[in-house]
Amino acid sequence: MIKVAVTSVYVDDVTRAHAFYTDVLGFETRVHLDLGDGAQYVTVGAAEGAQRDLQLLLEPGHGPVAAPYRAALREAELPCIVLSVDDMRAEFERLSGLGVHFAQEPRSRGPVITAVLDDTVGNYVQLAQARG
């Protein structure tokens, strides 16, 4: 069986991204390596033992491939990743209370409820809750 192990999100600043994804979104640090010369290798994942085999790599987003890709996503107002939530209303209220800016407040879209937030490091992130 083949499964996703690590997927990347290109970010403006790895340190700030790490703080946002852990302190605000609630992920836990899985790997945090200092590679020297200010470079870091940082992965986060779902807290409380959920999805232990899946990590999100917070990757510097200023390279010749990442920068145009990120700019195109941002211009099109597309999320770089979709994260699932169990209770959209509760997460929206919690995150709003922490000062998170939502580009799209929760709305029903067929079988899901979605919202889009700004991760403060150059990306839109979509939250999704399955209905029913």
Side-chain angles (χ1 to χ4, degrees):
M1 172 194 315
I2 298 175
K3 301 187 306 183
V4 175
V6 178
T7 190
S8 297
V9 170
Y10 294 115
V11 299
D12 292 338
D13 181 292
V14 173
T15 299
R16 281 187 21 238
H18 183 232
F20 182 83
Y21 279 78
T22 56
D23 298 342
V24 177
L25 294 185
F27 285 98
E28 66 183 18
T29 303
R30 298 282 176 81
V31 177
H32 192 175
L33 299 173
D34 181 348
L35 302 176
D37 294 328
Q40 301 177 68
Y41 182 89
V42 178
T43 68
V44 297
E48 301 172 11
Q51 294 182 304
R52 291 300 308 161
D53 60 344
L54 180 58
Q55 298 178 67
L56 182 61
L57 173 61
L58 303 175
E59 192 160 0
H62 300 295
V65 172
Y69 167 75
R70 294 177 69 221
L73 282 178
R74 191 75 177 192
E75 184 176 325
E77 298 181 353
L78 293 173
C80 68
I81 194 166
V82 178
L83 305 174
S84 66
V85 298
D86 294 327
D87 184 338
M88 180 66 74
R89 181 58 51 197
E91 283 300 326
F92 176 75
E93 290 175 11
R94 181 182 75 81
L95 294 171
S96 294
L98 293 172
V100 173
H101 169 73
F102 279 82
Q104 175 209 303
E105 293 191 7
R107 68 171 81 157
S108 292
R109 294 183 174 246
V112 297
I113 302 168
T114 64
V116 177
L117 62 88
D118 185 326
D119 75 355
T120 73
V121 285
N123 302 297
Y124 290 125
V125 174
Q126 185 174 61
L127 302 179
Q129 175 191 341
R131 292 164 55 93

